[in-house]
Structures are given as C-alpha cells and as structure tokens.
C-alpha cells in the first residue's frame, strides 16, 4: 500500500534518484567485476595446475615458464632437448612426465603437441571422435571446437606464432585433420588444439624452409628459434620440446629434483604452487586497492542517498504529517522514507550487478588475456549476494536518520505552516 | 440523535498563554457547525485538538463515543482513520502523486482498500473528474480546493473538519465551494465543522459559535 508513494517520490526527483542509483551501480559493478575476476582467477589457476608438481623448461623467468606451459598464456621461455624426457622418466622419484611442444595457432587457438596423458591430466573425455594418433591428426578442446565451428574430419592449416595474426604465412603443406572433440572441462584444455609432438615437429621442423619475408619478432616462439637462430644441422637436434609437466612419486622429490635440474642441467624447474602464490599475491594487492576504491564509491553513494533523503524529508514533512493525520501509523510513515532509500539501493545493486557482468563480457571479447584465462563473464559468484546485501545495508543506514525525523515531527506545527 | 463530537471542559494553553478555558461543545451526527472568531482566537488550535494533533491540558474529547484525548497512540490512529477527515487551510495534497492517487491513498489508510469507481464518482460530482490524473501542482486554486474536499468526503467520515476552506477564494468561488462541501457532507451524513473568520458562510450554516480573543496571560 505504502510502496506507491516512495516510488512516486523517486520519480518526482528523477535526477537525484538517477544519480544515486548510478553511484551505487558503479560501485557494485566494480566490486562484482573484481570479485568475479579474482575468484574465477584463483579457482582456474589452481584447477589448471592440479596434478602438476613441477614444470621443466628452458631457462628464463619461472613465472613465464608456468604461464606458458600450464596456462598457455605467455610465450615459452625456449626449448629443451628431447633427452630431458628420458632423464626425468629414469628418476625413481618421478611418477609421470608429460612433454609438450608448443606449435602454432589455428585462428588464435594454440596448437599443442603432447601425449594423451595430458588430456587425462585434466580428466577430459572424448566427446566425439577419437584420440589423435597418426601425424596431422588433432583433437579439439570443447571451446575451441565450438568457437571455430569445427567438426570431425575437417582439415585446416595452422598459422605461425601462438596467437592469431602473429605470423605471416600458413603452413600450406601440412594440413591438420580433426579426429576428435573433447568434452568441456572448465580448464585450459578447452581452448587448445591438441596433437602429437611428432605432428608439431613435422609442421615446423625438418626440411621446412621459411620464406625470407616472414617476420619473426617474437623470438621466444619455438619454431622461430629453430629456424632463425639455431643452426642445428641434424634432424635430431631439431627434435626439441617446450616444457615437461612433472608429477612426483614421493614428497622427497620436491626437495631433490628442482635443485638437480637447476644446477646440473641448462634447464630450469619451476614449482607451480610457488609461482602461483606469488602471482596471486601480486594480483591480490592490486585487487585489494581497487576493492577499497569501490567501497569508497559505495560509501559516497550512501552519503548521497542520505543527503537526498534528508533534503526530501524536510520538503515532504507536510506530506508525512498529513499521512499521520489520515491515520498512518508512525511505523508506516517511517517505512515510506526508509523504503525510498532501500529501493534506491536495491535498484543500484541490481543495475550494478548487471553492469558488472556486461562489463566482464565486453572485456572478455575485447582482451585476449581475459579469454585465455577462461573467464566466464555470466557465471555468478556467491560473494555477489554479499555485495548486494552490503549495498542494501548502506541504503538502509543512509535513510535511517531521515526516517527517524518522522518520530520527532511536530504534526500540528508542520501542517499549520502556510507555505 | 447520536453524537459525533463531544468536547467537555477543555482547557488549552501554550505555555502560560491560555487559548481555551473550560470549553464545551457537542456536535450531533450529520450536524454542521460554524466556528467563528478573529484571527488568533484559537480556531485552528481547537481543530487540532479535535483531530488529535494537540493534547488538551484538561477535559475530554470524544469522537463517535471514543475518547481521543485519552487513548494510546495506536488507538488514536485508528479513531482518526475511521472517523475524521480534515481539509487544511493549505490543502496539503501530496504533490508527487495524481489527484486520483491522493484519494486512493486516503481510502487505503481509512478503509483498507481503494475504490476507483467511488473516486471517479466523487471527482465527477465535484466537477473535477477530468483532472483525476493530474498532479496537484497543475490544478487551479479552485480545482485544488475541490480535490481537497473530495479527499475529505471519499472515506465517508463521521466528522469533517475544515480550516478556512474559503478564505483564499473570491465571493463566487467561496459560495460554490461552501455549497459543494455542505451538500455532499449532508448527502453522506457526515458532521461538519468549519473554522473560519469568513462571515459569508453564516448564510449557509445556521449554527455557529464564536471564539473570543482570549489573549489573557495567566499570572
Ligand atoms: N504552537 C504554538 N505555540 C505557541 N502559541 C501558539 C501555537 N500555535 C498557535 N499559537 C497561538 O495561539 C493563538 C491561537 O492560534 P490559532 O489557533 O492558530 O488561531 P486561529 O486559527 O483562530 O487564527 C495565536 O495567538 C497563536 O499565535
Ligand atoms: Mg487558523
């Protein structure tokens, strides 16, 4: 019954109401975006690193090695000799070694040469078709398949480099053929084109001449290193891999193997857990700062509601006194003022949640790194309820003081005023 | 004849400024009473006592047999809701909502529900049916006055109190407004108390009491 009045009051001063809603919405949108990104980020980062105790690759920044080998986000640090696989597999403390050879990309989706064990690592099942086998056969991750609109039996050519538009020419002589499509896993594998290591070698390596015009700005790409800088004469030397994903058999391995690799070989060993926590720590500081800013914005929104309602309450004092005379209880009149603040906050929160998710969706379309992270812009995070509740609390406390004026109102005086 | 309003031995003072002393009056159901007196004589004070905005220093105020001066707040609200409607000097229409919504809100508060048919009927009877959806601030003075009267009548109250309903109007309009108010109050059997210093109204309402200037500070 008393809901129509606060709505009418809100409509009566559209500009102020709109401004307050906008302020709160911006705060909520920022908070929602931060929340979704940070929670999905840490969740996805740790899910993708599950079952990987160690990454072995070329020397360079350990974080870069982790990002490129596990998350397929950065350029690899370089290549390592094929013999490294045997070296680690021989070690009794090692349970599993999965080699990876990063190839080119197919319309922005990375082509990764590996073994079927890599697919098992993420618990990915074949949805249609079968596992890659013979040279040239590839299996597509669920998202890569659906975004590319690729079906079984389809043939395609890879492009140079690891992301779309990196290179200049297609490898015209070695078409890939899609033989399988994986089920969705919610991990990095969804966005990959998987094939055997031999296939990657075949496409890049031996006897394959690059056109002189090709631009090789990104030196880190494995194919480029091979072709431009190294002058290995033998085919075997060309047979390199990019990184090894290692799982330990015993905890003792954690103490022994990384120093062994780092000191006794020209390779580096990076521990995902260590690099991850360092990365999250770095991101965390930035996210905390942005979050503080957003709460400040919410506070300003609350203050603005407070000022608006306080102004309005004195302008509407006669209305409210009239309601009392017409028989509305103090609580009902109190509720009218409170409802306006509450509705403003509620609208601000709703609009903010919508803007937040739309913003994330736009960001995932605009920025490749968001897409590479596998960010799901529409996936709600439980913490959003907390943000909405907090903003409602802000609106409620902002309207409490103006609403309390109702109790101190001198009805006879207010209604007797002749203005 | 049932009694709509019964004031007994009411004293009212602001501080040591006595406005009413040992004041008694009875208004029967359906009866109309003119409350006369110069400006500052205490007419508004008396109306505020009746509608419960002020407390008397002494005496009893009964509306439809219930004591307004002596009930708890909740009971007070309920009596106002059911029995009394007010037409303020400054009208006090709620400007953020339409005339129809003003009447709806009043109905909901007094009766628990709105009756759009009754509202349209009432607005038509007062000649402002075509302004039902208009905001109060877009009405002329005469239209706003009629809207305030419609709002007082719409709940069929036991008692309507009106404070200077014609003072701001010219002769023609004052007569028309008084006529409408008296006519519709009579039709639905509401008692009516009009406080005014406008002696033009004496032609319409035979019974009147006059408050004297009682500016006698007690010592
Ligand atoms: N709240 C108040 N406090 C003190 N004096 C008041 C108050 N309200 C009214 N008065 C005084 O009481 C007298 C009667 O006022 P009022 O009832 O408004 O008279 P009327 O309506 O007949 O003009 C006036 O002198 C006025 O100044
Ligand atoms: Mg007066």
């Amino acid at each position: 019954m008393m809901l129509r009045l606060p709505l009418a009051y809100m409509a009566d001063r559209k500009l102020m109401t709109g401004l307050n809603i906008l302020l709160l919405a911006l705060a909520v949108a920022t908070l929602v975006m931060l929340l979704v990104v940070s929670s999905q980020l840490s969740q996805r980062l740790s899910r993708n690193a599950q079952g990987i105790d160690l990454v072995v690759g070329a020397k360079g920044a350990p974080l870069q090695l982790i990002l490129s080998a596990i998350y397929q986000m950065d350029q690899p640090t370089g290549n390592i000799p094929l013999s490294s696989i045997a070296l680690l597999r021989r070690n009794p403390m090692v349970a599993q070694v999965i080699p990876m050879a990063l190839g080119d990309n197919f319309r922005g989706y990375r082509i990764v040469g590996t073994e079927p064990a890599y697919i098992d690592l993420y618990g990915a099942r074949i949805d249609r078709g079968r596992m890659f086998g013979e040279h040239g056969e590839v299996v597509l991750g669920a998202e890569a398949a659906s975004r590319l609109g690729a079906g079984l039996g389809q043939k395609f050519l890879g492009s140079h480099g690891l992301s779309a538009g990196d290179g200049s020419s297609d490898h015209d002589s070695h078409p890939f053929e899609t033989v399988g499509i994986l089920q969705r896993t919610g991990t990095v594998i969804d966005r990959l084109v998987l094939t055997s290591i031999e296939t990657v070698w075949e496409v890049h390596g031996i006897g394959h001449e690059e056109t002189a015009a090709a631009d090789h700005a990104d030196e880190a790409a494995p194919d480029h290193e091979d072709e431009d800088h190294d002058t290995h004469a033998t085919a075997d030397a060309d047979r390199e891999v990019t990184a090894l994903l290692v799982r330990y058999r015993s905890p003792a391995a954690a103490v022994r193997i990384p120093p062994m690799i780092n000191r006794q070989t020209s390779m580096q060993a990076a521990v995902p857990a260590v690099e991850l926590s360092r990365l999250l720590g770095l991101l965390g500081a930035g996210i905390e700062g942005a979050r503080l800013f957003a709460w400040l914005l919410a506070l300003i929104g609350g203050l603005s509601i407070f000022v608006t309602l306080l102004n309005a309450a004195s302008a509407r004092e006669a209305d409210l006194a009239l309601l009392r005379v017409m028989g509305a209880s103090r609580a009902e009149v109190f509720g009218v003022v409170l409802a306006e603040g509450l509705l403003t906050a509620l609208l601000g929160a709703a609009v903010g949640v919508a803007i937040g998710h739309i913003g994330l969706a736009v960001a995932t379309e605009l920025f490749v790194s968001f897409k590479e992270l596998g960010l799901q812009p529409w996936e709600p995070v439980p913490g959003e309820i907390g943000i909405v509740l907090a903003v409602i609390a802000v609106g409620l406390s902002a309207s409490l003081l103006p609403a309390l004026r109702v109790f101190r109102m001198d009805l006879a005086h207010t209604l007797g005023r002749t203005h | 004849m049932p009694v709509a309003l019964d004031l007994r031995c009411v004293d009212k003072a602001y501080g040591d400024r006595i406005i009413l002393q040992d004041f008694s009056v009875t208004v029967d159901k359906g009866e109309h009473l003119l409350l006369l007196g110069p400006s500052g004589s205490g007419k508004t004070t008396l109306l505020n006592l009746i509608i419960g905005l002020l407390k008397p220093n002494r005496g009893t105020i009964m509306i439809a047999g219930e004591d307004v001066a002596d009930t708890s707040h909740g009971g007070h609200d309920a009596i106002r809701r059911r029995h009394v409607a007010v037409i303020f000097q400054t009208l006090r229409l709620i400007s953020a909502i339409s005339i129809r919504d003003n009447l709806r809100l009043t109905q909901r508060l007094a009766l628990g529900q709105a009756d759009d048919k009754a509202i349209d009927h009432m607005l038509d009877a007062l000649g402002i049916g075509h302004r039902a959806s208009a905001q109060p601030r877009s009405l002329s003075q005469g239209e706003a006055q009629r809207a305030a009267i419609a709002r007082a009548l719409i709940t069929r109250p036991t008692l309507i109190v009106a404070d200077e309903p014609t003072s701001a109007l010219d002769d023609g309009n004052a007569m028309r407004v008084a006529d409408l108010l008296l006519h519709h109050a009579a039709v639905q059997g509401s008692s009516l108390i009009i406080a005014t210093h406008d002696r033009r109204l004496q032609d319409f309402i035979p019974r009147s009491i006059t408050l004297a200037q009682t500016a006698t500070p007690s010592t």
Side-chain angles (χ1 to χ4, degrees):
Chain A
M1 159 181 91
M2 294 300 239
L3 198 67
R4 188 183 283 255
L5 204 54
L7 285 174
Y9 283 147
M10 286 167 73
D12 204 36
R13 30 177 79 212
K14 288 186 188 69
L15 194 69
M16 272 321 284
T17 306
L19 192 68
N20 291 337
I21 290 175
L22 191 71
L23 265 171
L24 288 180
L26 285 180
V28 170
T30 312
L31 288 167
V32 164
M33 286 197 266
L34 289 172
L35 180 74
V36 171
V37 168
S38 64
S39 77
Q40 287 195 7
L41 193 69
S42 61
Q43 186 195 334
R44 258 156 244 276
L45 285 181
S46 48
R47 176 135 42 112
N48 283 328
Q50 241 166 43
I52 304 171
D53 293 320
L54 191 71
V55 178
V56 176
K59 283 220 190 296
L63 185 58
Q64 188 186 348
L65 176 60
I66 299 286
L67 285 177
S68 66
I70 298 182
Y71 304 103
Q72 310 292 338
M73 281 186 71
D74 206 346
Q75 297 293 340
T77 47
N79 280 343
I80 53 174
L82 192 59
S83 57
S84 58
I85 303 176
L87 176 77
L88 277 149
R89 279 186 177 154
R90 263 201 314 272
N91 194 310
M93 285 182 286
V94 167
Q96 190 183 33
V97 178
I98 302 172
M100 301 179 76
L102 264 59
D104 300 328
N105 78 85
F106 175 49
R107 291 202 219 134
Y109 291 93
R110 283 192 183 187
I111 300 169
V112 175
T114 184
E115 293 174 359
Y118 180 66
I119 292 170
D120 297 336
L121 182 68
Y122 292 108
R125 298 234 162 72
I126 301 270
D127 186 40
R128 280 173 289 150
R130 57 176 173 82
M131 185 57 66
F132 58 79
E134 298 209 350
H135 292 188
E137 292 180 346
V138 301
V139 165
L140 300 184
E143 194 183 321
S146 74
R147 291 288 191 113
L148 294 170
L152 293 180
Q154 191 168 336
K155 290 194 167 69
F156 62 89
L157 302 168
S159 305
H160 250 314
L162 293 171
S163 46
D166 257 10
S168 57
S169 65
D170 284 351
H171 296 274
D172 41 21
S173 52
H174 296 281
F176 297 106
E177 184 186 354
T178 307
V179 298
I181 291 168
L182 298 176
Q183 285 178 354
R184 192 171 286 276
T185 61
T187 65
V188 63
I189 215 168
D190 291 351
R191 290 180 303 284
L192 296 180
V193 176
L194 298 162
T195 185
S196 67
I197 293 181
E198 288 77 13
T199 299
V200 170
W201 285 335
E202 194 172 287
V203 172
H204 289 101
I206 316 129
H208 178 71
E209 284 302 321
E210 229 6 79
T211 53
D215 172 41
H216 295 297
D218 49 342
E219 303 188 4
D223 50 338
H224 300 161
E225 288 217 336
D226 288 352
E227 289 155 7
D228 287 1
H229 311 292
D230 296 4
T231 46
H232 296 307
T234 63
D236 221 36
D238 275 343
R239 303 204 151 206
E240 295 184 315
V241 292
T242 316
L244 308 177
L245 307 180
V246 178
R247 188 157 56 80
Y248 299 144
R249 174 164 284 130
S250 73
V255 209
R256 296 271 199 82
I257 294 185
M260 187 269 282
I261 301 275
N262 288 330
R263 282 192 214 125
Q264 296 173 18
T265 72
S266 59
M267 303 182 289
Q268 75 158 324
V271 183
V274 172
E275 299 307 320
L276 258 186
S277 66
R278 182 153 48 200
L279 178 65
L280 287 176
L282 281 173
L283 288 173
I287 285 174
E288 281 314 308
R291 187 174 287 158
L292 198 71
F293 168 78
W295 281 118
L296 221 64
L297 210 62
L299 206 69
I300 292 169
L303 269 175
S304 178
I305 292 184
F306 172 72
V307 172
T308 305
L309 286 182
L310 210 60
N311 271 330
S314 60
R316 292 171 192 152
E317 209 162 31
D319 285 5
L320 302 177
L322 176 84
L323 290 176
R324 291 280 292 122
V325 172
M326 292 196 310
S329 67
R330 276 169 206 266
E332 281 172 313
V333 177
F334 179 76
V336 167
V337 181
L338 213 62
E340 192 180 338
L342 208 60
L343 282 170
T344 306
L346 213 63
L347 276 172
V351 172
V353 169
I355 292 179
H357 284 287
I358 291 168
L360 284 172
V362 171
T364 20
E365 287 308 313
L366 285 181
F367 306 113
V368 189
S369 55
F370 273 58
K371 204 180 290 173
E372 283 177 341
L373 270 173
L375 201 82
Q376 301 295 321
W378 302 112
E379 197 172 281
V381 174
E384 285 176 48
I385 296 168
I387 294 173
V388 170
L389 288 179
V391 167
I392 288 172
V394 166
L396 209 62
S397 40
S399 43
L400 209 59
L401 216 63
L404 280 171
R405 286 168 60 108
V406 167
F407 290 97
R408 293 189 281 109
M409 201 158 53
D410 180 346
L411 297 183
H413 175 74
T414 305
L415 290 166
R417 285 193 314 223
T418 44
H419 54 84
Chain B
M1 194 75 157
V3 174
L5 175 73
D6 188 25
L7 266 75
R8 287 273 163 80
C9 312
V10 168
D11 285 359
K12 180 64 190 175
Y14 294 112
D16 55 7
R17 179 159 156 69
I18 296 165
I19 308 295
L20 299 170
Q21 195 155 32
D22 206 26
F23 183 87
S24 297
V25 70
T26 301
V27 179
D28 288 335
K29 198 149 185 341
E31 190 184 11
H32 297 173
L33 172 70
L34 201 58
L35 190 59
L36 292 169
S39 189
S41 59
K43 303 181 296 295
T44 299
T45 301
L46 182 56
L47 293 191
N48 281 341
L49 286 167
I50 294 167
I51 65 180
L53 291 185
L54 293 176
K55 297 267 159 231
N57 299 97
R58 190 179 70 94
T60 57
I61 301 170
M62 311 275 283
I63 293 173
E66 293 182 81
D67 195 339
V68 196
D70 199 37
T71 36
S72 65
H73 270 300
H76 214 141
D77 292 336
I79 294 167
R80 279 189 210 150
R81 242 179 244 256
R82 256 181 293 136
H83 296 295
V84 189
V86 193
I87 300 169
F88 291 96
Q89 191 169 355
T90 46
L91 305 184
R92 298 297 180 203
L93 295 163
I94 295 176
S95 63
I97 55 180
S98 69
I99 297 304
R100 181 182 282 116
D101 281 342
N102 265 275
L103 266 65
R104 277 188 184 138
L105 186 60
T106 309
Q107 276 188 323
R108 290 205 191 97
L109 282 170
L111 314 169
Q113 62 186 46
D115 178 353
D116 281 355
K117 252 166 86 181
I119 289 173
D120 287 339
H121 189 77
M122 179 63 71
L123 291 177
D124 280 340
L126 290 174
I128 49 169
H130 61 296
R131 307 293 279 153
S133 310
Q135 302 278 117
R137 46 174 104 85
S138 70
L139 300 185
S140 72
Q141 177 67 28
E143 286 171 333
Q145 194 83 39
R146 286 158 200 252
I149 292 171
R151 184 176 64 183
L153 290 165
I154 196 67
T155 57
R156 301 182 159 271
T158 308
L159 175 66
I160 297 172
V161 301
D163 199 356
E164 310 277 9
T166 58
S167 313
L169 305 175
D170 58 48
D171 277 0
N173 260 319
M175 295 312 114
R176 257 191 298 279
V177 161
D179 201 39
L180 278 173
L181 182 53
L182 288 166
H183 171 71
H184 288 284
V187 165
Q188 59 186 41
S190 297
S191 303
L192 184 62
I193 301 177
I194 300 178
T196 187
H197 62 267
D198 185 354
R199 298 203 162 262
R200 293 175 294 190
L201 291 178
Q202 272 183 302
D203 301 339
F204 294 83
I205 302 174
R207 185 180 171 206
S208 68
I209 51 173
T210 304
L211 294 181
Q213 196 80 40
T214 55
T216 46
S218 69
T219 44

